[in-house]
Amino acid sequence: MIRKLLVANRGEIARRIFRTCRSLGIETVAVFEEKTDLHVREADAAVAIGSFLAADEIIEAARRSGAGAVHPGYGFLSENAPFARAVEAAGLIWIGPAPDAIEAMGDKIRAKKLVAAAGVPVLDGAETFPLLIKAAAGGGGRGMRVVTEPGTLRSELAAASAEAQSAFGDGTVFTEPYLPTARHVEVQVLGDEHGRLWVLGDRDCSVQRRHQKIIEEAPAPLLATETREALHRHARAAAEAVDYRGAGTVEFLVEGDRIFFLEMNTRLQVEHPVTEAVTGLDLVAWQLAIAEGRELPAEPPALTGHAIEVRLYAEDPAAGFAPQTGRLRAFDFEVPGVRVDSGVEAGSTVGVRYDAMLSKIVSYGEDRASAIRLLADALRRGRLHGLTTNLALLRAILADDDFVAGRVDTALLDRRLAAWTSAGEDHAVRKAALAAAAGSAVRTATSAGVQGRIPVAWRNVPSQERVRSFRYGAERLDVTYAARGGRITSSWLPGVSVESVDGDQVVLDDHGVRETFRVTVVDGGADVHGPAGAFDLHAVPKFTDPAENLAPGSLLASMPGLVVALHVAEGDQVAAGAPIVVLEAMKMQQTLTAPADGVVASLSVVVGKQVAAGEVLAVIAAAPADAAAAPADAAAAPADAAAAPADAATAGAADAIAGPAGSETA
């Protein structure tokens, strides 16, 4: 019997497992790199470690704390067979599948051969374009690249290998055909040590960015009965091929009625809550029970209703999903009828060391329409301020006609991203900005030392229009307002007026419809929450900061991150598009390229330097008129030092085992 459990993970993952342990009366032990992490204070005991990838430190922490079992969560060492073996060798209970099963399915090339022998369909052929480069040792979108032209294959292989090496300690990658409009559907399995295996329905995970899931739902919509039954049959065959024990997920690509094995994740998935919602099971509780030797009942529970999960990320969708860092001023999505699994709270600081996911928000309804409506309402009512996130994007997806109809595939987000991140919320944003301007003006006036009781522009006689400027994302909002007949009105937003300002409550009248906004004035802007949701508005200073007068050709950091590679030196000639600097944040790498032909006039970073978003990394000056153009090969190919040897990095890319394209995520 498990009496004390160490969770070899952090954040929302650890908190989720602790919640089940508390319900079962199991003591909990946390491990941490930073003692301020939220999961640390929720555990019964906590032990500091140097790294979540240090297996020996984690096992020693279990020994010192008296824990008799180790749960790996998902991510980090959760699919590391040597770690599982080391846990068992130390006399501890391993919460997960047998190490041999982890090893068999962890190598994606070997896994395809294994399941193909069991009759599970895989996709053959790896030399047609487009193709997908994937990391053999891990997933989560890391080490993945789509290649559409043969000429870019070599450089993309090197970049994918470098990212895989950084994320998983193994730079081996392989290629497979890319099916851009297939669906990503997965099947949850649960097996015990007595040979009983449950298939617990399916999930659709097709809405993805950068090959990482952002919306998952159970069951998968619009699947033909024959296709669904085939998916479950193939998932069972794949699990039985490795005598699977514990919770696992078999992932597929589905194109029409064609099914192709993608991979098997030998752990609990991020999206497991949607399966819990439609089955009524606690999958973590069953993981623990199976590890204790308990037997599954003869039949799994029937599936009822529909569940949808969204992943809330600290990232900017309009800037290529660049990771965002900073402090959360507000974070509250605890609304009736939804489940929130979160690793942060108001006051938490988000850095670049870990994954960008802040929270999972899950709804359940008697049918899909009910689940969508409930989740959309939760995202509208939730309060989140202090960081740029994908919250507005998630709201837009849930309102999209294609998504609502269930017409989803892995390329849907790429096709619709411009619409989902553009003018859809313009009127709502403008009203939020007007509320912020009114709230800020009154706050400024009431805090003034002279005539502090007379709000700015709040008079019964007409006044001249004033201007207050904000920035929302990349958009500048110049809000004009003036007193008109006892109200603040705005020529910038005709038909909308400010009816009252009382503390942090601003009431607007939009063509006869009253709406209430909560406005919190903060340094540099205002946090606004209204009927359409939460908005962070950043004040634009009246006078230009001299630091913003950048030299022409300045190359700015697109995200906060670590400089992991430099491809040039000062004085080098470069062509437009040539790689200059590689940044890494949250285990994702991004290559910044030369904006135009020129000469590297200055280089202000070195490998290993941490940089902030917007920081000047280099300046590419116009080349002298008589300067020779940069050699094409030097501009197009990354430096040899940054690229892994082609043969070792690709596991023989030309001869790689062919398989389905798609995405692997935590």
Side-chain angles (χ1 to χ4, degrees), residues 478-491:
D478 294 316
V479 185
T480 58
Y481 61 96
R484 296 288 187 271
R487 290 185 175 186
I488 292 180
T489 60
S490 173
S491 61

Side-chain angles (χ1 to χ4, degrees), residues 406-448:
R407 296 188 295 267
V408 294
D409 59 63
T410 56
L412 177 64
L413 185 140
D414 290 337
R415 294 196 303 271
R416 303 283 295 134
L417 182 61
W420 287 341
T421 56
S422 62
E425 290 188 314
D426 264 3
H427 190 63
V429 171
R430 283 176 165 246
K431 287 192 290 187
L434 178 57
S440 300
V442 172
R443 165 79 174 270
T444 300
T446 54
S447 61

Side-chain angles (χ1 to χ4, degrees), residues 123 176-179 182-185 208 231 251-255 258-262 410 659-663:
L123 193 62
E176 60 188 19
Y178 178 56
L179 302 180
R183 294 175 61 182
H184 184 136
V185 182
Q208 306 175 357
L231 282 167
E251 305 198 351
F252 300 91
L253 286 181
V254 178
E255 190 175 59
R258 299 193 304 159
I259 298 170
F260 306 106
F261 172 81
L262 190 57
T410 56
S663 49

Side-chain angles (χ1 to χ4, degrees), residues 179-195:
L179 302 180
T181 58
R183 294 175 61 182
H184 184 136
V185 182
E186 60 191 30
V187 179
Q188 177 74 58
V189 297
L190 189 67
D192 64 24
E193 65 181 32
H194 306 285

